[in-house]
Amino acid sequence: MAAVTRAHWEKELAQLEAFLKAHPLAAASDLAALDELRVAVLGRSGSLTSLLKALKDLSLDDKKELGPKAQSLRVDLDAAIEARKAELEAASDLALSSEDALDLTLPAYAPARGRVHPLTSTLEEMTGILSLMGFSWAEGPLAESDDNNFTKLNIPEHHPARGMFDTFYLENSPLLMRTHTSPVQIRAMETSRPPLRIMAPGRVFRHEAVDATHSAVFHQVEGLYIDKNVTFADLKGTLDVFMQKLFGAQTKTRFRPSYFPFTEPSAEVDVSCLFCAGSGCPICKHSGWIELLGAGLVHPNVLKAVDYDPQVWSGFAFGVGVERIAMLRLGVKDIRAFYENDMRFLEQFDENLV
Ligand code: PHE
């Protein structure tokens, strides 16, 4: 800038003051307009900045007289700009929060965690115990052959025992929906040589009227152990430990004679009532016992059907309902609650997915 005279300097200052009067900072309509004003006056080549720089061309006396004027104008302007800026920012925050705008100060939503279905956690608990006892995992299809579901399990066609297991038949297919996990016994024995020890968890089907304790679709865990000289004592010992791990060390078992075509002898196994410890209550119908599973020693005809020599090999098998165990352990009164997917029910069981 060319050297300036005092008169020129004073004229410029007067112009600036007039400009500020015409464009008061307090009236800047938004932050952008305010910043534009700030740059025009206080920016690197703003009008006040230029005046301050030009002071160096004036005489010492003029400097002493005019310098403080320009300086105090600058201090006032700085303060006014800050004040207006704060006002505008507060107003824009208010506008944001009064619309449906994002409020970044709100705490975040907690992420929704998945849960293990109570039937799944019960099944995992059961198979976890059995696998520690040496049973390995085995599976079979839900749509099963008549042979595996019935005939090879010593339930020939037209045998009245088929009435215990009424099921669903598939159209245009010889297959049927398996009525129990016992056909996995046949599959496991046909695909490996003895000795063997398997557990077969899975879904099964019965043509049944649905009520609080019956479902046409439910789950079982099958156990099968084949070796030399397997006795009823092995079965008893195994189920005692299984039930004690599941329901607590004080649990007792009771074996009642029963009938299954694929085991001989056969038994219904009860456990001492978990609710009254055997003294009698409404849940065990005052008997002290709760009926829980079917079991027995593998029938020689079943061993023959899979080409195991019944003179050499013997074994035990058991089948237990998962829903029944889950209902007892969790205090669920109606089996249908497991299948309705009502979150109010499912959320009561707090096993989280990790
Ligand atoms: N399969 C039988 C049922 O579903 C249970 C069972 C399995 C009984 C193994 C004896 C041996 O009722």
Side-chain angles (χ1 to χ4, degrees), residues 165 179-182 185 206 220 222 260 262-263 294-296 317-319:
F165 304 103
T179 57
H180 47 181
T181 43
S182 300
Q185 291 187 29
R206 298 273 169 98
Q220 289 186 332
E222 190 87 5
F260 296 102
F262 32 90
T263 45
F318 59 86

Side-chain angles (χ1 to χ4, degrees), residues 87-98:
E87 254 174 57
L88 288 170
E89 279 173 349
S92 88
D93 277 353
L94 206 69
L96 266 178
S97 59
S98 66

Side-chain angles (χ1 to χ4, degrees), residues 105-116:
T105 65
L106 278 177
Y109 290 113
R113 300 189 73 194
R115 270 161 213 278
V116 177

Side-chain angles (χ1 to χ4, degrees), residues 47 79 120 226 336:
S47 41
T120 307
I226 305 282
R336 291 166 288 199

Side-chain angles (χ1 to χ4, degrees), residues 170-182:
L170 302 177
E171 271 178 43
N172 308 319
S173 162
L175 302 180
L176 49 89
M177 300 313 290
R178 67 178 185 189
T179 57
H180 47 181
T181 43
S182 300

